[in-house]
Amino acid sequence: MQTELYIATSLVLLCIDISVLRPLAPRALFVSWLDTPTLFIAVAFIGWRLLKIDMQTSIIMSGATFICGSSAAIALGASMGVMHKTEMPIAIISIFTIPSIIALPYIAKEFKFGGEISGAWFGGCVDSTGAVIAAAKIYGDEDAVNTSAVVKMMQNALIGPISVVMAWAWSQHELKQQYKRQDELLRRSPETAMDDIAMEEVNTESKSKQPKTEVAKQPKPWVLLWQRFPKFVLGFIITAILFNTVISDVTAVRTQVYQYCFYVSEWFSTLSFVSIGLGMDINTVKNNLRHVGKLCTLYVIAQMVDIVATAGLAYIAFTYV
């Protein structure tokens, strides 16, 4: 949770000018929302069906790749009641994000992408928020930093709705599996069917006492939406409003305030990466090499698709739209 706090604080302190945010918002929405839900579902299905990864872990891995790294992983894990399955995807993403931070800015320069196109590309396909800002800083353009932050903000907002949908869908899946087991028991001999069903109901009742697997007591959709919604998006908006209404219109003053906030933001971004490194458990990776290999394969597939698709959308959005 410290890592998430550092990342959120880093982003809230960016102080993007409303005059910059307003024209970027529609195009940022185009880049971040058009392909993300579709690719999230498709890659999760590939991981489950083709790579034989269990459904929950595949969903978490895909969501973390296409939405917002560890934030999405934690939200999806909580929605399905399997927080313990988020550790490995988060660890893999933390490692594999580093090459993207370094490589994508130089690839963007090689292809002569402008600042806005590059920023939208970073914001749409780099996994975590802190990494997005880091990639934009390596690119070395203020337009890239602003655009990448706005695109990532838009993409982060998907965490809430997708978590609500996933919580509802997984509840329905659990109910369907329960009914399926009961139907299978009814097909057995009449002498044992009712006893087996009674035992199944007892087991189900005992399991339902555990908050993580209970289906009947799922929170209301709007409550779950608020719980999963990334609160730092609101902080980002409030900071932008304060920066544009309270701070003096004198250019020198606004520049000084902006630079100070951005420097503090950079420190928190650095702390987030240090926290990620300190939180990694190498022993867990060693003990699950086969599973880790499948997850790495799924991540590479997802990331390659995301990089290509987002590059195309960013180019269209900031060239023709």
Side-chain angles (χ1 to χ4, degrees):
M1 297 306 293
Q2 284 183 335
T3 302
E4 293 304 306
L5 175 62
Y6 295 148
I7 292 173
T9 305
S10 170
L11 201 56
V12 167
L13 290 174
L14 282 177
C15 295
I16 290 182
D17 198 317
I18 292 294
S19 62
V20 175
L21 181 62
R22 190 182 300 113
L24 287 178
R27 289 177 289 178
L29 190 67
F30 176 82
V31 174
S32 59
W33 281 46
L34 186 62
D35 66 331
T36 299
T38 304
L39 293 178
F40 160 60
I41 295 171
V43 171
F45 183 81
I46 290 172
W48 174 48
R49 283 295 191 183
L50 299 183
L51 298 179
K52 306 301 180 183
I53 301 171
D54 70 274
M55 187 186 299
Q56 293 167 321
T57 305
S58 184
I59 289 171
I60 292 170
M61 190 76 219
S62 180
T65 304
F66 286 109
I67 304 175
C68 186
S70 56
S71 298
I74 291 169
L76 290 170
S79 297
M80 295 183 289
V82 287
M83 285 295 294
H84 62 284
K85 292 187 178 183
T86 64
E87 296 176 359
M88 193 59 66
I90 290 175
I92 291 172
I93 285 175
S94 300
I95 295 172
F96 280 90
T97 297
I98 296 173
S100 297
I101 297 172
I102 299 171
L104 291 183
Y106 293 103
I107 294 174
K109 289 183 178 180
E110 184 68 24
F111 282 92
K112 301 186 186 304
F113 288 164
E116 290 185 335
I117 295 175
S118 300
W121 189 31
F122 305 151
C125 68
V126 177
D127 301 318
S128 63
T129 306
V132 166
I133 304 303
K137 286 293 292 181
I138 291 174
Y139 182 82
D141 186 276
E142 186 175 347
D143 288 339
V145 175
N146 291 336
T147 306
S148 65
V150 174
V151 169
K152 204 61 184 178
M153 283 287 109
M154 296 293 185
Q155 200 172 63
N156 288 341
L158 280 171
I159 295 175
I162 286 180
S163 296
V164 172
V165 172
M166 187 54 60
W168 174 83
W170 196 255
S171 299
Q172 297 302 310
H173 173 74
E174 288 181 335
L175 285 173
K176 184 178 179 180
Q177 292 298 111
Q178 181 180 339
Y179 295 148
K180 184 178 179 180
R181 286 194 297 268
Q182 290 184 356
D183 289 340
E184 290 176 353
L185 290 173
L186 286 172
R187 294 192 186 97
R188 299 181 182 179
S189 60
E191 292 79 7
T192 61
M194 296 308 297
D195 291 338
D196 289 340
I197 291 175
M199 183 62 68
E200 183 76 16
E201 290 176 350
V202 170
N203 292 336
T204 302
E205 183 178 354
S206 63
K207 289 180 180 179
S208 67
K209 295 179 181 179
Q210 302 176 7
K212 289 184 177 180
T213 57
E214 185 172 356
V215 175
K217 294 184 179 180
Q218 288 288 340
K220 294 181 179 180
W222 65 269
V223 174
L224 189 59
L225 176 62
W226 175 250
Q227 291 174 345
R228 303 290 178 259
F229 188 81
K231 307 300 189 300
F232 59 84
V233 173
L234 300 179
F236 173 82
I237 295 172
I238 292 172
T239 303
I241 292 173
L242 291 175
F243 180 76
N244 287 273
T245 57
V246 177
I247 304 302
S248 172
D249 291 334
V250 179
T251 303
V253 175
R254 292 176 69 85
T255 301
Q256 188 176 9
V257 172
Y258 174 83
Q259 289 179 347
Y260 176 78
C261 290
F262 194 81
Y263 291 150
V264 177
S265 172
E266 285 293 283
W267 275 105
F268 276 101
S269 180
T270 302
L271 286 173
S272 70
F273 284 101
V274 173
S275 179
I276 288 171
L278 292 175
M280 289 186 60
D281 187 356
I282 302 300
N283 291 327
T284 302
V285 177
K286 290 181 179 178
N287 295 332
N288 298 277
L289 288 179
R290 183 178 178 82
H291 183 59
V292 171
K294 290 183 178 181
L295 287 177
C296 289
T297 302
L298 181 63
Y299 176 81
V300 171
I301 293 172
Q303 189 67 354
M304 291 299 102
V305 171
D306 197 19
I307 287 173
V308 174
T310 305
L313 290 175
Y315 184 81
I316 293 171
F318 288 90
T319 303
Y320 300 107
V321 177

